[in-house]
Amino acid sequence: MSGITTKRKIRLEDFHGPNLGYVLELFDQYKQDPESVDAELREMFNGWDESPQQTASVAVQAEGSVPSADKMKKIAYAVKLADDIRTYGHLNASIYPFENPGKEFLKLKDYGLTEADLEEIPASILCADAPQDVTNGLQAITYLKEVYTKTIAFEFSHVHRFEEKYWLKKMVESGEIFKSHTNEKRLSILRRLSEVEGFEKFLHRTFVGQKRFSIEGLDMLVPMLDELISGAVHAGTHNVNIGMAHRGRLNVLAHVLKKPYEIIFSEFQHSPNKELVPSEGSVGINYGWSGDVKYHLGADRQITDESTKRARLTLANNPSHLEYVDPIVMGYTRAAQDDRKTAGYPVQDEKESMAIIIHGDAAFPGEGIVAETLNLNSLKGYQTGGSIHIIANNMIGFTTESMDSRSTKYASDLAKGYEIPIVHVNADDPEACLAAVLMAIEYRKLFNRDFLIDLIGYRRFGHNEMDEPMTTQPQLYEKIRKHPTARALYAKKLEEAGYATKEKIEEIDQQVLDKFDAAYQKVPSKKVTQVHDIELPEIVINGLPAIETAVEKEALLRINDELVKWPEDFHVFDKLKRILERRANIFAGEQKADWALAETLAFATILEDGTPIRLSGQDSERGTFSQRHLVLHDSETGNVYAPLHKLSKSNVSFAVHNSPLSEGSVLGFEYGYNVFAPETLVLWEAQYGDFANAAQVFFDQFISAGRAKWGQKSGLVMLLPHGYEGQGPEHSSARLERYLQLAAENNWTVANLTSAAQYFHILRRQAALLKREEVRPLVIMTPKSLLRNAQTVSSIDEMSGGGFRSVIEQPGLGLNHSEVKRIVLCSGKIATDLTDKLNAMENKADSIHLVRVEELYPFPKKEISAILGRYEALEEIVWVQEEPMNMGVWTYIEPELREVAPVQTKVKYIGRKRRSSTAEGDPNVHKKDQERIVTEALTWKNEGRI
């Protein structure tokens, strides 16, 4: 495959025709701002004295003539016409199944040109890559109009990188993307289209009225995927990951993922299918205990071929939140590319894995997660060496037409902002579709960047097969009703060209039909005698096992010493240097660690245990609150140094990345990374906990429910800063109640911690769970002001001994069991406020005991019941929180407390009233209300204020 190189110096003689016109534009840009063009172009332009006209004159002289001033104008107009054909040819292309382009397109007279003018201009001035039989300018313009207005059209004028634009033009104008197919290949395309269409028709007549979201109208999507996957695997890719919504999903599962027809048929018939044997190479078709509808399910497939190439093909599970699977597939792909077996950042091999993301035409411009995901494509922590995007464009949403669903001409226009080349192709032309695929494969291979194919077809039925589209689009669906299928059109084309006989076409159709009939015969009877309740696996029901998380004191001291060692010529910012050294000295002397040091020690020990770590989020390298400093910056050179990369006993990777200002795409990416690399401790940190609002779909549909729906395990950690400091409603609450509302079936752990040691142990416990069946996500309400609060500091003994405690009792309280009347339960920052109040009291009454619930879900019923059982005189259990009554923990924990409360013991709430806003906007009002809560919690009615 041809390409270009920029190794040698670029010369004027290298440019002709369109490339010359493009360079003239860059030359004008260079004169305005030399730094705005590439260095190699700058070097070339530095030696130019000519105006653009003089430059064109030099190029024409190279063709053997010296033009007059008038001819120079004609040449300039002709170059402009040629460039406009390239830029606007798509507007007159035959890319729509039901629309024919207008005949008039970029008239010569509008450019002050005649055919005679063009005949005097050498073809190479306008199209250097045209075939040899194109000799003059008129032929060149005719050729360009033909090339750029076929059933395949191109948009890449928005690509600013010169070498990419040069290559794209050369591919199109040389005809290299229009590969000549053998007769065998043509018949294989026909066979595939017959399978795709036949499958849908079989479902339509066999399972009447059932939803399937058929692919019909975009049938070529399956052969295109075949070609993309084959091209990637033969180029050395070992993982191909696909993300798509439900339109055409069953067909992709059947034909690309090789999910057996009989299993799909059994799902329609709601009949048992566990005894059905998967076809060869089809593995990992898994379900959770509650399951999901068939058109949301994913699958894995192992690919092998005659040349012994092997690859893993994955279709990601995806609910009806359409585009939200996009960053998850990106995460899959990066996880497969990263080698995490050495210290430092993972070593990325972009060839190892490729993402194919299939979008809807209404969803691509309509859902903001698409833009968030596209923004990841060049960021060092998230780029994957180029994704192939396909818009499965059926020109309609549910019932909403394009004019009501987007403000742009094309569904693909969003991609222009990210300089992604776009190819529009008519889904009724199979060979044009494969030309688009070839261009995408070669572009990614050469430039490691995203590429988009806008596959324009139609939707043969309504949004689902129970809809009647004639009620909302009668004219369109009258055309669709009469329109031949892609298979029928291609079969007719092959027959007319003599590539296939009518008998051969009928033979292919019959063979396909026989396959469906044979598969259907294997489906068990749909009669179900008994419907069983949902049953959870024992490994999930039984909860977490006991895990040793303590680390020897000597190891902690050694690591602490290594954390403040950096190269002699590395200049740490003086103020930061003093902070780090003071932190290290305190740990070595008093042997106490604050929150940030405990976190770093946890990371270090996890790495030394052989578990790779990936942490990302806005400002995660330094930490939002300037507490972390995992990456140090040389104050003189700007170079960076990460002490965790230099641990003496670590042989696995540690990656930390500052993320873009996107919660959804980044959380989705990290979830995908973790699912695909389950041995890696992956953490996502919100800048503030309430920022997770913008990623709620991922919590609702994937992280909390993925295992129940699809059997998809995850050990992802989410760090959500939470706590009321009187700074207003924003950034106070991480919306703890939402994670507790989603908590069920041991689906994840939700914790609100109050000490550095607790954080140390829960991170180490999570890392130890990653390779076990009991693994589950972990949601932590992390502190803000408590990061530097003396109450959260922990001794080295707390980390070198013991482990994570789900419940912590207040030291010094509740010792006289017979006197305790009230037990105050709380979680998180409010516990430190209560402790501060207790410490300020001269006398601590025996009537109150204070208990911190560190792990909120799963509810520590056994531990709390044991505490309550010690106090025979107990009259009252009080839950105290700083959040409003309708937020925080109360709604979740009230029924749990009532269940464990001894008979005749009241369960009571103390906190803020129910509110619509999370917190007060006035710090003085906050302080007053906080004081009320704390005082009321520590005041027993029979004794007055303690």
Side-chain angles (χ1 to χ4, degrees), residues 34-305:
E35 295 300 319
S36 66
V37 301
D38 291 341
E40 290 175 284
L41 288 172
R42 227 172 19 246
E43 183 181 352
M44 178 182 71
F45 291 152
N46 286 339
W48 282 18
D49 297 321
E50 304 94 337
S51 66
Q53 289 81 8
Q54 289 171 318
T55 302
S57 176
V58 171
V60 174
Q61 289 179 45
E63 299 292 335
S65 62
V66 180
S68 65
D70 183 62
K71 287 187 177 181
M72 276 300 304
K73 287 183 181 180
K74 299 291 186 182
I75 293 169
Y77 296 154
V79 169
K80 174 62 173 170
L81 172 58
D83 281 345
D84 283 354
I85 292 170
R86 296 179 181 92
T87 303
Y88 304 112
H90 57 88
L91 297 175
N92 206 55
S94 302
I95 54 177
Y96 300 103
F98 304 116
E99 294 180 23
N100 293 317
K103 295 180 180 179
E104 297 293 328
F105 174 61
L106 300 179
K107 302 174 186 177
L108 296 186
K109 65 179 183 180
D110 292 336
Y111 290 81
L113 295 169
T114 65
E115 291 187 356
D117 293 331
L118 291 175
E119 286 175 342
E120 293 183 7
I121 300 173
S124 60
I125 297 297
L126 305 180
C127 184
D129 297 308
Q132 291 184 354
D133 59 349
V134 175
T135 59
N136 62 48
L138 179 59
Q139 292 173 336
I141 291 297
T142 302
Y143 175 73
L144 288 173
K145 283 190 175 183
E146 179 190 353
V147 166
Y148 283 95
T149 61
K150 292 174 178 284
T151 52
I152 182 171
F154 311 92
E155 287 192 272
F156 45 75
S157 60
H158 55 279
V159 177
H160 297 153
R161 293 169 293 275
F162 171 74
E163 62 273 24
E164 294 180 30
K165 182 175 286 190
Y166 185 100
W167 182 87
L168 290 163
K169 288 180 179 179
K170 191 175 190 304
M171 282 289 289
V172 174
E173 294 174 20
S174 68
E176 290 185 51
I177 66 166
F178 302 107
K179 187 177 179 181
S180 178
H181 297 293
T182 64
N183 202 37
E184 182 182 8
K185 177 66 173 178
R186 293 187 183 99
L187 288 175
S188 73
I189 296 169
L190 178 62
R191 181 178 296 276
R192 196 53 145 174
L193 286 173
S194 297
E195 291 172 338
V196 170
E197 180 181 312
F199 177 73
E200 298 291 355
K201 288 184 174 180
F202 186 88
L203 294 178
H204 193 70
R205 67 171 181 267
T206 307
F207 307 106
V208 178
Q210 290 204 46
K211 296 179 184 178
R212 69 178 192 276
F213 300 98
S214 83
I215 203 172
E216 291 161 285
L218 292 168
D219 307 55
M220 268 306 295
L221 179 62
V222 169
M224 290 170 73
L225 288 175
D226 290 339
E227 203 78 4
L228 278 171
I229 294 162
S230 175
V233 172
H234 281 86
T237 296
H238 294 104
N239 291 273
V240 178
N241 304 301
I242 304 173
M244 68 180 298
H246 40 277
R247 174 73 52 209
R249 190 179 186 91
L250 293 180
N251 221 303
V252 170
L253 280 167
H255 296 118
V256 181
L257 276 296
K258 303 297 184 185
K259 183 173 181 177
Y261 294 136
E262 51 267 35
I263 289 183
I264 296 175
F265 297 160
S266 71
E267 290 168 351
F268 273 98
Q269 198 155 280
H270 307 290
S271 55
N273 62 17
K274 291 184 179 180
E275 302 303 318
L276 298 174
V277 180
S279 61
E280 184 179 355
S282 179
V283 296
I285 302 173
N286 297 322
Y287 307 93
W289 50 85
S290 62
D292 201 349
V293 291
K294 49 193 164 291
Y295 39 80
H296 289 173
L297 297 175
D300 278 0
R301 173 190 164 203
Q302 297 296 328
I303 299 174
T304 59
D305 65 15

Side-chain angles (χ1 to χ4, degrees), residues 368-384:
I369 194 67
V370 175
E372 286 191 38
T373 305
L374 292 178
N375 188 50
L376 301 179
N377 71 53
S378 293
L379 304 181
K380 67 177 181 180
Y382 310 91
Q383 65 85 15
T384 58

Side-chain angles (χ1 to χ4, degrees), residues 201-467:
K201 288 184 174 180
F202 186 88
L203 294 178
H204 193 70
R205 67 171 181 267
T206 307
F207 307 106
V208 178
Q210 290 204 46
K211 296 179 184 178
R212 69 178 192 276
F213 300 98
S214 83
I215 203 172
E216 291 161 285
L218 292 168
D219 307 55
M220 268 306 295
L221 179 62
V222 169
M224 290 170 73
L225 288 175
D226 290 339
E227 203 78 4
L228 278 171
I229 294 162
S230 175
V233 172
H234 281 86
T237 296
H238 294 104
N239 291 273
V240 178
N241 304 301
I242 304 173
M244 68 180 298
H246 40 277
R247 174 73 52 209
R249 190 179 186 91
L250 293 180
N251 221 303
V252 170
L253 280 167
H255 296 118
V256 181
L257 276 296
K258 303 297 184 185
K259 183 173 181 177
Y261 294 136
E262 51 267 35
I263 289 183
I264 296 175
F265 297 160
S266 71
E267 290 168 351
F268 273 98
Q269 198 155 280
H270 307 290
S271 55
N273 62 17
K274 291 184 179 180
E275 302 303 318
L276 298 174
V277 180
S279 61
E280 184 179 355
S282 179
V283 296
I285 302 173
N286 297 322
Y287 307 93
W289 50 85
S290 62
D292 201 349
V293 291
K294 49 193 164 291
Y295 39 80
H296 289 173
L297 297 175
D300 278 0
R301 173 190 164 203
Q302 297 296 328
I303 299 174
T304 59
D305 65 15
E306 65 280 358
S307 59
T308 69
K309 293 184 180 295
R310 288 184 164 271
R312 174 184 177 184
L313 176 62
T314 301
L315 175 66
N317 301 294
N318 190 27
S320 285
H321 280 78
L322 303 179
E323 301 289 338
Y324 279 81
V325 76
D326 300 357
I328 292 175
V329 170
M330 294 277 285
Y332 284 4
T333 305
R334 180 60 178 263
Q337 292 174 352
D338 282 351
D339 183 349
R340 295 171 289 276
K341 297 183 181 68
T342 55
Y345 282 97
V347 178
Q348 185 184 6
D349 180 359
E350 295 168 333
K351 186 177 70 174
E352 183 66 24
S353 182
M354 183 180 79
I356 302 172
I357 304 179
I358 302 165
H359 309 270
D361 56 289
F364 191 81
E367 297 197 13
I369 194 67
V370 175
E372 286 191 38
T373 305
L374 292 178
N375 188 50
L376 301 179
N377 71 53
S378 293
L379 304 181
K380 67 177 181 180
Y382 310 91
Q383 65 85 15
T384 58
S387 300
I388 306 300
H389 301 267
I390 302 175
I391 296 180
N393 191 341
N394 53 40
M395 304 297 291
I396 197 169
F398 196 138
T399 63
T400 304
E401 296 186 44
S402 300
M403 61 186 174
D404 292 319
S405 68
R406 65 173 185 263
S407 296
T408 57
K409 177 172 180 58
Y410 294 117
S412 57
D413 283 342
L414 174 66
K416 293 178 181 177
Y418 299 94
E419 298 189 43
I420 298 171
I422 299 167
V423 173
H424 307 281
V425 63
N426 191 322
D428 278 348
D429 187 342
E431 295 185 23
C433 291
L434 296 190
V437 168
L438 174 63
M439 194 171 187
I441 291 171
E442 295 301 325
Y443 179 82
R444 182 187 187 270
K445 190 189 304 179
L446 191 58
F447 298 109
N448 294 119
R449 299 185 64 84
D450 286 28
F451 193 94
L452 189 149
I453 300 172
D454 182 17
L455 178 65
I456 302 176
Y458 56 91
R459 189 184 68 196
R460 185 157 289 277
F461 300 103
H463 176 68
N464 60 61
E465 290 64 33
M466 299 170 68
D467 284 338

Side-chain angles (χ1 to χ4, degrees), residues 844-855:
K844 280 81 175 175
D846 290 337
S847 56
I848 290 181
H849 188 30
L850 180 61
V851 178
R852 304 180 183 191
V853 183
E854 302 275 296
E855 182 177 275

